[in-house]
Amino acid sequence: MIDEKRQWDLLKKIGFTRIGGSKEERQAAEILKQTVEAAGNEAVIEEFEVDWQKVKVALLKTANKEYAVTGYYQCANTDENGLTAPFYYLSTDNEVGLKNCEGKIVLVNDYLRFKTYEKLVEAKAVGFITFSGELRDSREDTDLENRELRQQLREKGNLPGVHMTVHDAMQLVLENPEEITINIQQETFKVNSQNVIAEIKGKVHPNETIIFTAHYDSVQYSAGVYDNGAGSVILMELHHYFLENKPARTVRFVWCGSEERGLLGSKAYVKDHEDILENIVLNINVDVAGPVLGTDSAVVTGPKCLVNYIDYLAKEVGFEIKTKQDIYSSDNMPFVDKKIPAVSFARFGGLGQAYIHDRHDQLFFMDSKNLYRTAQFVKVFAERVINSYVFPVPREMPENMVKKIDEYLNKKPQEKQ
Ligand SMILES: [Zn+2]
């Protein structure tokens, strides 16, 4: 039985900020491990290294003013006195704007995408600035986030960068200074993040494994109950269920760490368990669930017949869910990259109905009944396939999906496996 109250209680218990690699993330991992053990099963914590840093200086100033900024984690340090260079606001990363970037510190819109960063490096920018928040919110309601320059970007060339609020970005563009100075001083080193793993052996086909994943880390300022405490506790209920109702095939539960930092936990899992990947017949991933207003969704990164299977099942049991074949940006990706079919379940809140990655990811827009309903449907689906006479999902990855997966993981065609 899925226990609605037990599920909700665990969600409240892990509803604190759990940044990948932090001691709070470790604490959440221990709670998950203890919960598995209290149910009478073994749980293992598997560690992997992630980047960490101590920021000593992060500064941006013009001739008139100093702006509040955070330094990009892991970016290059400037020299001690900072880097002074002309300022340029790049509104879009096409040729016209890029022609103006050489030797400048460049402000860009939106999230710093891989492609944009690559172009900035090629255009010989010497530093960069990003911003976040909403102008309609007051400054007090706008957190100044820390952002990380991920390794994939650093490999293109490591530039010093800072992050500011949208309010300050507008001020800076209005000020339009000729020159600005940024100063970043940080120490970088490694710390451990971790996955939590529990297994229940199959009684008929122990060599065929269904792997459940959900990330349990969150981002700065976010309690991460919707994203993805929700998926983590759904996985725990499924664990309890299959412990009481022994499955025909082996089920393994992986609560992934550091997903928000670039799927680091699931990538580490796939890398460290290369030898058992051939036994994995399906990955069931859950990422975001529980909003009162929202839509349940199943995204299949795998054969089209699995989309139909879920669609028919939903009709049979009377569960409203949108199904489609696509990629899903979560811990399923390292598995599908190894040609293991995956389905990601989620209940999305629409615009204005739910929040992720900020201080508003809180219980106020969620309901235990919705979390229960999603868990219940995932259970019905999982139980069917796990206990089926012949496993109904072919272990294959259609060409249209392979293409999308490669694009998502930024593989060049010549690197394709
Ligand atoms: Zn998530």
Side-chain angles (χ1 to χ4, degrees):
M1 282 286 291
I2 303 292
D3 186 327
E4 183 185 330
K5 186 176 177 305
R6 180 174 61 187
Q7 182 170 252
W8 191 249
D9 286 346
L10 182 60
L11 183 60
K12 286 193 279 190
K13 210 169 158 187
I14 61 167
F16 51 85
T17 303
R18 322 173 287 277
I19 300 166
S22 68
K23 62 178 191 317
E24 291 81 11
E25 191 202 37
R26 177 72 188 208
Q27 197 183 329
E30 296 290 349
I31 293 171
L32 294 170
K33 180 174 187 274
Q34 286 155 14
T35 309
V36 168
E37 288 168 349
N41 197 8
E42 280 173 30
V44 180
I45 287 185
E46 286 187 359
E47 294 174 334
F48 53 92
E49 282 191 335
V50 295
D51 292 322
W52 204 255
Q53 59 286 310
K54 200 166 174 181
V55 179
K56 293 175 193 154
V57 182
L59 172 146
L60 188 163
K61 62 179 184 194
T62 65
N64 306 314
K65 197 175 164 196
E66 192 172 321
Y67 289 84
V69 295
T70 54
Y72 256 75
Y73 287 162
Q74 304 292 321
C75 78
N77 286 336
T78 59
D79 72 40
E80 254 170 71
N81 303 317
L83 166 73
T84 302
F87 169 73
Y88 185 69
Y89 171 42
L90 180 72
S91 66
T92 183
D93 65 359
N94 69 17
E95 291 92 335
V96 175
L98 287 162
K99 207 170 149 79
N100 289 313
C101 290
E102 187 171 345
K104 295 180 184 168
I105 299 171
V106 179
L107 174 72
V108 297
N109 288 326
D110 305 321
Y111 183 76
L112 183 61
R113 301 200 179 277
F114 180 80
K115 286 264 152 46
T116 302
Y117 186 75
E118 194 177 25
K119 288 180 190 174
L120 274 181
V121 173
E122 280 166 11
K124 301 197 171 65
V126 293
F128 66 91
I129 310 164
T130 59
F131 60 91
S132 62
E134 299 237 8
L135 280 174
R136 68 183 170 192
D137 291 340
S138 67
R139 279 177 180 271
E140 298 72 54
D141 285 338
T142 306
D143 291 314
L144 176 56
E145 299 168 5
N146 282 287
R147 293 264 168 107
E148 177 180 10
L149 192 63
R150 290 182 182 173
Q151 191 177 348
Q152 221 170 13
L153 276 71
R154 297 200 302 271
E155 280 167 5
K156 293 287 158 194
N158 199 346
L159 301 178
V162 295
H163 187 73
M164 64 196 337
T165 66
V166 64
H167 306 86
D168 278 341
M170 189 165 80
Q171 282 304 313
L172 183 62
V173 170
L174 285 171
E175 187 187 335
N176 196 24
E178 233 162 70
E179 276 191 340
I180 61 170
T181 300
I182 59 172
N183 193 338
I184 314 248
Q185 307 298 328
Q186 67 181 316
E187 233 175 75
T188 58
F189 47 96
K190 301 275 183 190
V191 296
N192 282 334
S193 175
Q194 59 282 309
N195 296 325
V196 184
I197 298 159
E199 186 181 270
I200 303 162
K201 271 262 173 274
K203 54 183 185 188
V204 187
H205 309 285
N207 289 333
E208 290 179 27
T209 302
I210 288 79
I211 205 149
F212 288 92
T213 50
H215 75 88
Y216 70 94
D217 65 316
S218 77
V219 300
Q220 192 184 22
Y221 303 117
S222 166
V225 285
Y226 169 52
D227 181 16
N228 181 36
S232 302
V233 301
I234 286 177
L235 238 64
M236 189 61 79
E237 281 304 315
L238 295 168
H239 168 266
H240 294 337
Y241 180 80
F242 286 112
L243 209 52
E244 286 159 18
N245 304 274
K246 290 284 185 275
R249 290 175 176 80
T250 297
V251 291
R252 191 173 306 133
F253 297 87
V254 183
W255 286 273
C256 299
S258 297
E259 187 264 1
E260 301 285 11
R261 298 189 55 191
L263 317 177
L264 302 181
S266 46
K267 281 179 182 167
Y269 182 86
V270 165
K271 188 166 167 271
D272 294 344
H273 297 277
E274 196 89 41
D275 52 321
I276 55 157
L277 295 182
E278 62 178 327
N279 293 339
I280 302 174
V281 290
L282 181 68
N283 167 224
I284 301 175
N285 181 53
V286 189
D287 195 354
V288 308
V292 177
L293 304 175
T295 307
D296 275 88
S297 169
V299 182
V300 171
T301 314
K304 193 83 202 322
C305 64
L306 181 55
V307 181
N308 299 335
Y309 186 104
I310 295 168
D311 202 38
Y312 297 156
L313 180 63
K315 284 173 180 148
E316 183 189 321
V317 302
F319 184 68
E320 273 190 57
I321 189 167
K322 251 170 119 164
T323 54
K324 66 168 178 178
Q325 184 196 44
D326 205 346
I327 58 167
Y328 189 67
S329 177
S330 183
D331 290 313
N332 52 303
M333 293 308 292
F335 292 94
V336 298
D337 191 35
K338 297 288 179 189
K339 310 265 192 298
I340 298 165
V343 52
S344 291
F345 289 97
R347 178 176 171 83
F348 296 114
L351 211 57
Q353 297 165 220
Y355 303 93
I356 59 164
H357 301 168
D358 61 29
R359 63 162 86 177
H360 307 294
D361 183 343
Q362 299 283 350
L363 290 174
F364 74 91
F365 60 82
M366 291 170 64
D367 181 26
S368 67
K369 281 192 196 68
N370 280 325
L371 202 58
Y372 172 81
R373 283 188 201 110
T374 300
Q376 183 65 26
F377 184 72
V378 178
K379 188 217 87 177
V380 169
F381 164 74
E383 187 172 38
R384 283 223 171 181
V385 292
I386 289 164
N387 293 335
S388 56
Y389 183 70
V390 170
F391 197 72
V393 188
R395 200 182 181 293
E396 60 187 36
M397 193 54 64
E399 260 319 298
N400 61 334
M401 288 293 101
V402 171
K403 200 163 164 269
K404 283 194 167 193
I405 296 161
D406 287 353
E407 271 168 24
Y408 176 89
L409 297 169
N410 278 316
K411 276 189 202 160
K412 300 270 184 302
Q414 66 267 26
E415 292 168 24
K416 210 169 130 181
Q417 286 157 349

